[in-house]
Amino acid sequence: TTTVGFAASAVTERSFIMVKPDGVHRGLVGDIIKRFEQRGYKLVGCKVLVPSRELAAKHYAEHDGKPFFPKLVDFLTSGAVVALVFEGKDVVKTGRTMIGATNPLASPPGTIRADFGIDMGRNIIHGSDSVESAMREIALWFRADELADYTPVATAWIYE
Ligand code: IDP
């Protein structure tokens, strides 16, 4: 038998990932969760909701005042979104790489936005752009008791 060390308990970086209304309408929730799961990231938060305008505006506060802001809030509040929190080593940066560029047409093949989208205002998915943004966004979308604390049995087969 092989003895495998168990060193992953320190890996607690989290990212806020959200399937936007276009992704939900198009039935892409499962595909998106699958990509993060198969990479080895741990799902610790998951809920479906139609965001209020207040929540959407707070989420995109950095874009308040830009020409596309009203349409962005209209879009995000137009239907259900799936709010997700994934945890694991470098999940913020790696999540952004998996998601691709803001403009799907400028995004490399293999990224979520390139594989599923065309227009910037219909780019399927949100992912936190820094660890600080992730902490702000997770606190905005989830209560602490909505995030699960557990250790997947596969952890020692994902991290050395
Ligand atoms: P990101 O989602 O790749 O982090 P941000 O610059 O934070 O990109 O923009 C937030 C969202 O606002 C984008 O995902 C996109 O849906 C929308 N957006 C950004 N820039 C534009 C624009 O110039 N026109 C229309 N929509 C935009």
Side-chain angles (χ1 to χ4, degrees):
T1 53
T2 306
T3 304
V4 176
F6 194 30
S9 57
V11 180
T12 57
E13 184 173 305
R14 289 175 169 178
S15 188
F16 177 68
I17 303 294
M18 172 170 53
V19 185
K20 298 180 183 180
D22 51 339
V24 176
H25 278 296
R26 292 179 55 197
L28 300 176
V29 173
D31 285 289
I32 287 167
I33 291 176
K34 183 172 181 58
R35 288 180 182 225
F36 283 86
E37 277 188 315
Q38 70 189 9
R39 187 73 190 252
Y41 289 124
K42 175 170 83 163
L43 183 62
V44 298
C46 179
K47 64 179 168 186
V48 54
L49 72 158
V50 179
S52 66
R53 294 192 74 82
E54 186 192 358
L55 179 56
K58 277 186 183 163
H59 175 76
Y60 280 128
E62 66 169 302
H63 298 303
D64 197 350
K66 292 182 187 170
F68 63 85
F69 182 75
K71 267 177 62 180
L72 182 58
V73 173
D74 287 346
F75 167 61
L76 202 72
T77 58
S78 69
V81 303
V82 176
L84 303 164
V85 179
F86 281 100
E87 182 179 293
K89 189 187 283 182
D90 253 340
V91 64
V92 170
K93 184 162 161 278
T94 308
R96 293 285 291 193
T97 303
M98 291 164 65
I99 287 168
T102 305
N103 180 356
L105 287 181
S107 207
T111 61
I112 293 166
R113 284 173 172 166
D115 289 354
F116 298 127
I118 294 172
D119 272 353
M120 188 137 70
R122 299 287 184 273
N123 64 4
I124 310 291
I125 182 169
H126 166 82
S128 306
D129 65 2
S130 68
V131 172
E132 293 68 34
S133 305
M135 289 190 291
R136 184 187 77 84
E137 292 166 3
I138 291 166
L140 182 63
W141 289 84
F142 287 90
R143 298 191 313 265
D145 69 358
E146 292 177 318
L147 301 174
D149 180 16
Y150 68 105
T151 303
V153 292
T155 305
W157 304 101
I158 293 166
Y159 297 100
E160 64 179 5

